[in-house]
Amino acid sequence: MRTGFPPAARGQSVGLLGGSFDPAHAGHVHITHEALRRFGLDRLWWLVSPGNPLKAHGPAPIDDRLARARALMRHPRVTVTDIEARLGTRATADTLSALRAVYPGVRFVWLMGADNLAQLHRWQNWETIMQTVPLGVLARPGDRISARMSPAARIYRRARLPGQASQLLGRAEAPAWCFVNVPMLDVSSTAIRASGGWRGDERQL
């Protein structure tokens, strides 16, 4: 395995939680624990991105975001990684293609909040994503109806696993997706930044 790349064995199911993590917070930790429990995953990686191409303003330096995320997320089956920066990818579809090339035989599952499912049809090559890996969707307050009525959910309605079968997602073949309702924490990176809780030397842990 390349230096700096997290380990994964052929046949393992690895959940991928991508984002800027600007900053990481207790909500990310909470949905990570829920995803491990709900979707039959062997491991889960936080993909701390170099930057979100859909956001106009760049995030904090990636080293600061990685440091905070690693200090916050401590679990033997969870790895915080900058693998997207190492792969040189930005779009999710490109990241998934590169990961599958580097990790043949590993079963990847893309994880997202219900709000992201609602806008998935706006992502670059979104149908390629649906056809490449299963999707584990975790409901957030107020997003359940919009997510279930989204273009992606409607187009791929036959690929949906019922919530009671969520443990099968980690071994499912794409296209497949599962929507689970989980209790959510009322916290967001945007709110933390707006409150001034993530700036200057407060980024240094």
Side-chain angles (χ1 to χ4, degrees):
M1 184 53 58
R2 303 182 194 178
T3 302
F5 282 51
R10 183 181 293 271
Q12 282 189 322
S13 178
V14 178
L16 303 173
L17 184 64
S20 58
F21 296 94
D22 187 30
H25 53 70
H28 294 127
V29 175
H30 174 65
I31 64 171
T32 295
H33 289 157
E34 290 289 341
L36 283 169
R37 185 169 68 89
R38 299 290 189 101
F39 295 132
L41 305 173
D42 297 309
R43 301 189 61 82
L44 193 150
W45 300 346
W46 282 15
L47 307 186
V48 180
S49 66
N52 186 338
L54 297 181
K55 293 184 178 180
H57 303 290
I62 191 169
D63 288 344
D64 293 344
R65 291 181 284 127
L66 283 167
R68 178 179 172 112
R70 286 169 176 158
L72 190 66
M73 184 69 251
R74 297 182 180 275
H75 190 286
R77 291 193 286 139
V78 180
T79 302
V80 176
T81 176
D82 61 350
I83 196 169
E84 282 189 299
R86 295 175 184 275
L87 292 170
T89 60
R90 297 287 289 276
T92 299
D94 295 338
T95 296
L96 291 172
S97 177
L99 285 174
R100 283 159 55 88
V102 174
Y103 295 90
V106 173
R107 295 177 173 271
F108 289 109
V109 176
W110 188 261
L111 304 171
M112 63 171 57
D115 56 334
N116 280 325
L117 179 64
Q119 57 153 350
L120 182 62
H121 60 286
R122 299 193 182 103
W123 291 22
Q124 180 178 324
N125 296 326
W126 72 273
E127 289 192 273
T128 299
I129 298 171
M130 292 291 301
Q131 295 288 341
T132 300
V133 297
L135 265 59
V137 184
L138 300 121
R140 291 171 50 162
D143 291 323
R144 294 178 177 91
I145 295 177
S146 61
R148 287 173 172 166
M149 298 301 293
S150 68
R154 286 187 281 107
I155 292 170
Y156 286 93
R157 62 186 179 276
R158 296 185 184 277
R160 181 182 174 186
L161 291 176
Q164 60 267 32
S166 63
Q167 285 288 326
L168 302 177
L169 189 69
R171 297 291 183 268
E173 298 295 333
W177 62 283
C178 186
F179 186 103
V180 296
N181 293 314
V182 297
M184 290 288 177
L185 302 183
D186 188 18
V187 61
S188 73
S189 298
T190 301
I192 292 172
R193 292 195 305 271
S195 71
W198 176 237
R199 66 173 184 242
D201 58 6
E202 290 173 330
R203 291 174 178 172
Q204 306 303 319
L205 302 179

